[in-house]
Amino acid sequence: MAAIESFDNIYLDLSKEHGKCRFAETGLGWKPVGGGDTFTLDQGNIGGAQWSRAAKGYEIKILQRTSGIIQLDGFQQEDYERLSKIFKNWYSTNLESKEHSLRGWNWGKAEFGKAELTFNVQNRPAFEIPYSEISNTNLAGRNEIAVEFAVGEAGKANGQNGATPGKGKKASASKDQMVEMRFYIPGTTTRKEAEGGDAGSDADEEEKNAVTLFYDTLIEKAEIGESAGDTIATFLDVLHLTPRGRFDIDMYDTSFRLRGKTYDYKIQYEAIKKFMVLPKPDEVHYLLCIGLDPPLRQGQTRYPFLVMQFKTDEEVTLDLNLPEEDLNEKYKGKLEPHYEQPLHSVVAQIFRGLAGKKILSPAKNFQTHRAQSGIKCSIKASEGFLYCLEKAFMFVPKPATYISYDQTQSITFSRVGGAVSALSTFDITVHMKGGGNSQFSNINREDLKGLEDFFKFKGLRVKNEIDEDANMLAAAMRAEDMASSDEEVVQNKADRGSADEDEESVDEDFQADSDSDVAEEYDSNHESDGSGSGESDVDNEVDDDEDEEMEDAQEEEERPKKKKKTG
């Protein structure tokens, strides 16, 4: 047997690119065909090996003595005898042939191994999940547990922090990949039985809820809980607006963890792309906004931003759990051993020191008419606050929206159509260069001038439809004022109905000093009633005898004549 055995077209941990794998007495190595980092494994770190059918052909799964699994895929079936001799003679390890279950059943038994979780169907493995690929787990229901897999930057971080630096990353294997798997685990069980032991070996062991025991065991095995290392700092019961709830924040060397009553999240610092500290307009709270890529997942919901809320006057005294050597070397100038400041400031400084991200804040040359940084507005039915940063817009808390000025094509100010508050509020529509737009509604009219000046200062194209409408309305009003005054008078008087006709036409039947019987009777009745309104005292002293004579004469004239009888 030659001192070196080589195999071509081999894929390391489902990597996108194949390479050449070489075996020697001292160990093995793999190098991608297109060039790149070479992966090597020492002979003393090989604790076991399995041969089975896989995606690219046949696969060798190497179990390391420390921790972790190495997968080499792409071998041919006839390579088994050759490889079996290599492992037996050079590495003193038997290459165990293992067949997978192909029944397609979705029920079976989950077993926790040293480096992976195995799902067995009729005592054959249906699939295995290496612990290094599990980024998080949550109790998703009464008897249901969700297992989340590392993706994107998180998967890359797992590879860097593992025991095998330089090896391929499954998390970046392809564009489409599985990101979550859920298990339904009913009933109760013991810890030994959950880990694959004999249920009757310890009859006195207390039985627990099976899904809870599965959850606790997975956290311990995958090192995604507190066992992942000592926390540098912990903040308890922090209010989160997105996702909604209160979470404890545990901050580690390369990641931080959010622990809630229902959900737990583990997030790598490399996934943090933006970090903002925003003063809330109520002058009582501060908002800390963390942009994530890949976003935080909760079932089918994605959260690209974490939004935390702190009280302005809430202070904290904190000593970091870090050795003095690390503070002086690794975090020199980034972290302090002792903090005694407002809580939001301490959290922001520690995130900046551990994640290495610059803290963004609202632009200094913009303030609202109330001398605040946030503008109260809404996106559709969701109310929130819009902040103008130095290089972008930021709307919080939900839906948290970040729009860079570089991606903005133009901005339109428009009046609220058909609304009662059209005179006191307006809308902003941000048109994107790549298509689409975002609209911010119900902004106070007093902030119009300040926003327009700020956008022009930033070199953004602004279209003010509100002023255009006002100018058109003013022009229309001036045109009406210049119209014929006669037409306006006629038009205005026509609206009064018959009132104008009564003024212009004269009633010939009406006489102001009429001697008609009706008028005289009315006047006499009016005087006899003692009204006296509108008459002078002289008129009231008329001689009674003259009045009686006039009344007798009137009665004679009013007495009707008798009709003559005709024969």
Side-chain angles (χ1 to χ4, degrees):
M1 183 178 293
I4 295 178
E5 294 285 344
S6 299
F7 297 87
D8 296 328
N9 299 324
I10 305 301
Y11 295 83
L12 175 64
D13 288 338
L14 300 181
S15 59
K16 292 181 180 180
E17 190 176 10
H18 63 83
K20 177 175 287 188
C21 184
R22 293 183 177 180
F23 294 88
E25 292 185 7
T26 57
L28 60 92
W30 177 88
K31 185 176 182 179
V33 68
D37 295 336
T38 300
F39 166 72
T40 58
L41 182 65
D42 187 76
Q43 179 263 346
N45 200 15
I46 299 177
Q50 297 176 356
W51 171 271
S52 62
R53 187 68 185 265
K56 306 291 185 180
Y58 284 83
E59 170 192 82
I60 292 179
K61 181 186 294 183
I62 300 175
L63 307 178
Q64 300 183 82
R65 293 187 183 276
T66 54
S67 63
I69 292 176
I70 307 300
Q71 291 173 286
L72 298 170
D73 190 6
F75 295 101
Q76 303 300 318
Q77 186 175 6
E78 53 269 20
D79 295 335
Y80 174 73
E81 294 295 334
R82 181 180 168 191
L83 289 165
S84 180
K85 293 180 180 180
I86 291 174
F87 277 87
K88 185 175 182 180
N89 297 333
W90 288 352
Y91 309 139
S92 301
T93 301
N94 291 328
L95 184 59
E96 180 185 358
S97 179
K98 180 172 287 188
E99 295 184 5
H100 284 77
S101 175
L102 304 177
R103 289 184 174 273
W105 292 0
N106 65 340
W107 68 93
K109 184 178 181 180
E111 294 182 356
F112 291 93
K114 181 180 179 181
E116 62 183 359
L117 170 66
T118 305
F119 186 81
N120 294 325
V121 175
Q122 289 188 332
N123 296 324
R124 288 186 178 184
F127 59 86
E128 303 93 353
I129 305 175
Y131 297 140
S132 60
E133 295 298 320
I134 299 176
S135 64
N136 196 24
T137 180
N138 285 299
L139 292 171
R142 184 177 180 182
N143 297 107
E144 190 174 1
I145 187 171
V147 179
E148 299 178 13
F149 305 131
V151 293
E153 295 293 331
K156 183 177 180 180
N158 284 343
Q160 290 176 347
N161 296 331
T164 56
K167 79 187 190 75
K169 314 298 188 302
K170 292 185 207 175
S172 58
S174 60
K175 183 176 180 180
D176 298 324
Q177 63 187 82
M178 182 181 294
V179 296
E180 182 182 281
M181 179 181 291
R182 296 200 175 196
F183 294 96
Y184 177 77
I185 308 174
T188 59
T189 186
T190 61
R191 186 171 186 86
K192 285 188 176 181
E193 187 176 359
E195 295 181 359
D198 187 3
S201 59
D202 191 354
D204 296 333
E205 186 177 359
E206 181 183 359
E207 288 191 349
K208 296 182 180 180
N209 192 334
V211 67
T212 303
L213 192 56
F214 186 96
Y215 171 77
D216 295 337
T217 306
L218 185 59
I219 284 181
E220 180 182 347
K221 293 287 186 179
E223 295 185 348
I224 55 179
E226 296 181 358
S227 59
D230 295 334
T231 58
I232 296 175
T234 299
F235 302 95
L236 302 177
D237 202 30
V238 176
L239 176 61
H240 285 63
L241 304 183
T242 304
R244 189 73 181 178
R246 289 187 175 271
F247 295 88
D248 296 340
I249 304 176
D250 295 331
M251 307 189 74
Y252 300 92
D253 185 28
T254 60
S255 64
F256 69 99
R257 186 171 183 82
L258 303 179
R259 293 184 288 109
K261 293 182 179 180
T262 306
Y263 290 96
D264 289 357
Y265 305 99
K266 179 184 177 182
I267 303 170
Q268 300 289 333
Y269 291 132
E270 292 190 5
I272 298 178
K273 304 304 178 185
K274 304 175 185 65
F275 192 90
M276 290 161 277
V277 178
L278 309 173
K280 207 171 180 181
D282 60 6
E283 299 181 354
V284 179
H285 299 93
Y286 268 87
L287 300 177
L288 267 62
C289 190
I290 302 177
L292 302 176
D293 187 20
L296 188 69
R297 295 181 65 257
Q298 181 176 305
Q300 299 297 325
T301 306
R302 293 187 176 188
Y303 296 99
F305 288 92
L306 300 178
V307 181
M308 311 175 190
Q309 179 171 290
F310 299 88
K311 289 184 178 181
T312 305
D313 57 353
E314 185 177 0
E315 296 191 358
V316 65
T317 302
L318 179 68
D319 292 324
L320 295 186
N321 184 23
L322 277 175
E324 188 175 351
E325 302 81 41
D326 291 344
L327 283 171
N328 295 333
E329 297 177 4
K330 188 175 181 180
Y331 299 108
K332 185 177 182 179
K334 298 179 180 180
L335 294 175
E336 299 292 336
H338 178 77
Y339 290 93
E340 189 172 352
Q341 298 175 12
L343 179 58
H344 71 273
S345 178
V346 174
V347 174
Q349 292 181 48
I350 295 178
F351 264 109
R352 180 182 61 183
L354 294 176
K357 299 299 179 182
K358 180 181 178 181
I359 297 178
L360 304 178
S361 58
K364 296 181 180 180
N365 53 351
F366 171 77
Q367 283 188 337
T368 66
H369 68 285
R370 295 183 177 179
Q372 297 170 343
S373 300
I375 305 171
K376 187 176 181 180
C377 61
S378 60
I379 295 181
K380 296 182 179 179
S382 301
E383 292 187 354
F385 304 99
L386 177 65
Y387 292 86
C388 295
L389 311 180
E390 291 292 344
K391 296 183 179 180
F393 301 101
M394 186 66 206
F395 179 86
V396 288
K398 186 179 180 180
T401 305
Y402 181 90
I403 303 176
S404 173
Y405 295 149
D406 296 336
Q407 302 173 354
T408 303
Q409 182 176 5
S410 63
I411 300 174
T412 303
F413 296 88
S414 60
R415 193 185 304 275
V416 183
V420 178
S421 59
L423 298 178
S424 61
T425 62
F426 66 96
D427 296 349
I428 290 180
T429 303
V430 181
H431 302 275
M432 311 299 292
K433 291 182 179 179
N437 57 70
S438 298
Q439 186 173 12
F440 305 98
S441 306
N442 301 326
I443 303 175
N444 195 309
R445 181 64 181 270
E446 296 179 1
D447 293 325
L448 174 62
K449 181 63 176 176
L451 284 171
E452 187 175 8
D453 294 342
F454 176 77
F455 294 154
K456 290 181 180 179
F457 174 76
K458 290 296 182 180
L460 302 175
R461 295 175 56 188
V462 178
K463 182 179 181 182
N464 193 333
E465 295 181 352
I466 300 177
D467 290 345
E468 292 179 3
D469 294 343
N471 294 335
M472 292 177 62
L473 181 59
M477 294 294 292
R478 287 194 298 269
E480 291 180 0
D481 293 340
M482 295 174 63
S484 174
S485 60
D486 295 338
E487 295 178 357
E488 292 181 1
V489 171
V490 172
Q491 184 177 358
N492 292 336
K493 288 188 175 183
D495 295 337
R496 299 176 59 190
S498 61
D500 295 323
E501 298 177 1
D502 294 339
E503 290 180 1
E504 295 178 359
S505 61
V506 179
D507 191 355
E508 297 177 355
D509 297 332
F510 173 76
Q511 295 181 5
D513 298 329
S514 175
D515 295 333
S516 64
D517 300 337
V518 176
E520 291 175 353
E521 289 178 356
Y522 174 79
D523 292 338
S524 62
N525 293 334
H526 185 65
E527 292 174 357
S528 62
D529 290 340
S531 173
S533 62
E535 296 182 3
S536 63
D537 295 338
V538 177
D539 294 336
N540 293 331
E541 296 177 358
V542 179
D543 187 81
D544 295 336
D545 296 336
E546 291 180 0
D547 291 339
E548 292 177 0
E549 292 177 359
M550 291 178 64
E551 292 176 1
D552 293 340
Q554 290 177 1
E555 290 178 0
E556 290 292 338
E557 291 177 358
E558 293 176 359
R559 185 179 295 116
K561 297 180 180 180
K562 295 182 180 180
K563 291 183 180 181
K564 296 181 180 180
K565 295 183 180 179
T566 57

